Amino acid sequence: MLNNRCPHYRTTPGIISIAAFAASGIIGICLPGYAVSASAKAPTRVLSVGVLAPASGNTAASGKDMKDGWNYWFANNGTTFGATTIRTSFYDTASSPNTSLTKARQAVEKDHVDILVGTLLSSSALAIVPYASKHKIPYLIPETGADDLAQRSRSKYAIKAGGWNSSQPAHVAGAWAYEHGYRKAVTIVSGYAFGYENSGGFSQVFHDAGGKIAEHLFPPLGTKDFSPYLSRIRNAKPDVVFATLVGADGQSFLKQWTSFGLSKEIPLINTQTTTDQSNMREGDPAIFDGLISVGYYAPGRDDPVTQDFVKGYAAKYGSIPDSHAASMYLTAQWLSKAVESLPANATTDQLIDAINRVTFANTPFGPYKLDEYGGPVFNVYLMKVVPTPDSLKKYGAVWNVVERKWDDVSQFWTYDPKTYLKQPVYSESFQGY
């Protein structure tokens, strides 16, 4: 851990350790904080980072995007920031919560990493947080939307640097739907925590504005036949449908939504999960073209920071970066900025404080910071899927552009945080009203 480790040697914090380094020709000291080496130059440290991402299993493609996004930051900016050199090791979580926890243990107890980053699935992150907290290892969570990690179950060691809350864009979707004149809605989301939180976020805001939720539908992950759900939607006769379907489920749902004729009957609001670049890359562009979604990352955002990132990444990796790549890129940038001003003997608490203090006036997403609860604050966009410009056609046929922007959106939307936190986290049985 950060406060008791020198490179490759365990020693007592604050104790000079000469013998251990003599064999390598280095004389070093261990201070409370990072691995520190003594030389004629200013003291430096190596910060060992364990990145947890799936390289196998059903989310392996997203895991590759995560790894590429992380590597892209360091390829362009080097690995040394101030007194710190960041050294990365990757661990295959195999798209499994159990394997994710096993790999986290390997990274900490065998490989002695100083900080963990990842994973993709909420269930995996929820398994890792208690372990990281027990061992006092900072854990950066760029991918997992699980609301309670920045709310009722917050740990100071679990930090959503570059991350998000599942319900955050969905709150905006509920407000926009009511503002747009819709009064009766059906929600259909993947039937697990992430989906429940998206549906709950939309439903609470839509309901509190005066709207009615006719039905909540929770198809399980891996659903291939959506016809029973589509029949229920048609029978409910809603003004609008809110959808958050993950991965291949999103593609299957959209194909059947179109074939059932519902695309011509009922307006559909998606979250960026359904229309993420990772889905559109694999699916038929025709089923995505023209779709509306709400999210915090639009590759087509008309801003130099976003476009420089998108074009540079696409040229290097051959595809328009999806939200997974962009999130990991931002988290790498976030960590680099946090350590840049830290001394070589910084403690774990100093590192955590530095990470929490980071703010960005602009990123590929837009402005970004954390609130006092550790929840991200960022812009949320109403997006539309349109054909990519000719210069990017070879990297992807369609992408999301910004139709409208909400600045500095809080995880609590417009609710009072203390009042909001008295209610349960969104779940299958609690949808915010």
Side-chain angles (χ1 to χ4, degrees):
M1 291 176 286
L2 273 72
N3 61 356
N4 67 356
R5 186 177 305 126
C6 277
H8 311 297
Y9 301 98
R10 286 222 179 243
T11 185
T12 304
I15 301 299
I16 294 176
S17 176
I18 297 176
F21 286 83
S24 63
I26 300 173
I27 295 179
I29 59 173
C30 269
L31 299 173
Y34 300 86
V36 180
S37 64
S39 69
K41 299 179 181 179
T44 60
R45 61 188 174 186
V46 173
L47 183 67
S48 180
V49 181
V51 173
L52 305 161
S56 59
N58 60 1
T59 59
S62 296
K64 180 183 182 302
D65 294 329
M66 291 172 66
K67 184 176 180 179
D68 289 345
W70 179 267
N71 285 337
Y72 185 58
W73 165 260
F74 292 109
N76 287 339
N77 296 279
T79 58
T80 299
F81 305 89
T84 301
T85 295
I86 296 174
R87 181 179 61 202
T88 302
S89 300
F90 292 93
Y91 299 85
D92 177 16
T93 62
S95 308
S96 161
N98 290 336
T99 303
S100 296
L101 181 56
T102 298
K103 294 296 185 179
R105 286 174 172 153
Q106 176 189 333
V108 172
E109 297 175 27
K110 181 180 178 182
D111 300 336
H112 309 307
V113 302
D114 300 308
I115 188 167
L116 295 169
V117 177
T119 60
L120 179 64
L121 301 175
S122 295
S123 52
S124 297
L126 290 168
I128 292 168
V129 167
Y131 173 80
S133 300
K134 177 181 178 181
H135 290 269
K136 299 182 178 180
I137 297 291
Y139 175 32
L140 305 189
I141 309 174
E143 289 287 323
T144 296
D147 286 3
D148 243 7
L149 293 180
Q151 294 179 6
R152 302 159 198 82
S153 301
R154 184 188 178 193
S155 163
K156 81 170 191 176
Y157 297 99
I159 309 169
K160 289 192 171 186
W164 65 307
N165 275 21
S166 305
S167 62
Q168 208 163 350
H171 285 148
V172 177
W176 181 82
Y178 191 85
E179 177 189 315
H180 208 64
Y182 303 127
R183 295 295 181 266
K184 182 180 180 182
V186 168
T187 69
I188 180 167
V189 299
S190 295
Y192 73 114
F194 174 72
Y196 303 149
E197 290 177 354
N198 272 271
S199 177
F202 174 90
S203 299
Q204 181 168 14
V205 174
F206 186 74
H207 173 271
D208 289 354
K212 177 184 177 182
I213 305 295
E215 193 165 5
H216 298 290
L217 302 175
F218 303 124
L221 282 172
T223 295
K224 291 181 171 50
D225 180 9
F226 283 90
S227 58
Y229 302 100
L230 297 175
S231 295
R232 288 168 66 177
I233 289 172
R234 178 171 274 153
N235 291 338
K237 299 180 179 179
D239 299 329
V240 68
V241 170
F242 172 79
T244 301
L245 285 307
V246 175
D249 292 13
Q251 296 179 41
S252 297
F253 169 76
L254 291 174
K255 287 178 183 176
Q256 293 170 56
W257 174 266
T258 301
S259 65
F260 263 64
L262 291 177
S263 60
K264 297 179 180 179
E265 296 177 19
I266 306 170
L268 178 67
I269 306 172
N270 302 278
T271 57
Q272 72 177 41
T273 301
T274 307
T275 61
D276 188 64
Q277 211 66 37
S278 57
N279 281 344
M280 298 195 295
R281 185 189 307 155
E282 302 298 329
D284 178 3
I287 68 171
F288 294 97
D289 193 12
L291 288 178
I292 292 293
S293 64
V294 177
Y296 63 106
Y297 172 62
R301 174 179 174 244
D302 187 13
D303 182 274
V305 173
T306 300
Q307 291 311 302
D308 286 350
F309 166 68
V310 169
K311 292 172 183 177
Y313 180 98
K316 186 173 179 65
Y317 297 106
S319 62
I320 295 172
D322 63 6
S323 63
H324 309 300
S327 293
M328 290 295 285
Y329 177 88
L330 176 55
T331 301
Q333 182 182 9
W334 199 301
L335 179 60
S336 301
K337 185 174 181 178
V339 302
E340 191 168 26
S341 61
L342 290 177
N345 62 343
T347 64
T348 301
D349 284 347
Q350 287 174 317
L351 174 62
I352 290 172
D353 288 345
I355 293 170
N356 283 316
R357 288 196 307 270
V358 167
T359 63
F360 292 102
N362 204 359
T363 71
F365 298 86
Y368 232 99
K369 63 181 179 180
L370 298 177
D371 65 20
E372 62 181 298
Y373 298 88
V377 178
F378 47 54
N379 292 347
V380 171
Y381 307 107
L382 180 71
M383 304 181 292
K384 184 177 182 179
V385 178
V386 301
T388 52
D390 290 343
S391 61
L392 292 172
K393 284 290 184 196
K394 64 181 178 180
Y395 303 122
V398 291
W399 67 350
N400 283 288
V401 297
V402 175
E403 297 281 295
R404 181 176 168 183
K405 178 182 68 167
W406 288 261
D407 292 321
D408 300 327
V409 173
S410 162
Q411 63 172 323
F412 303 110
W413 184 227
T414 58
Y415 298 106
D416 172 68
K418 292 181 180 178
T419 303
Y420 186 93
L421 291 172
K422 290 179 181 178
Q423 70 183 29
V425 67
Y426 300 125
S427 65
E428 184 174 8
S429 60
F430 177 73
Q431 286 288 288
Y433 62 95

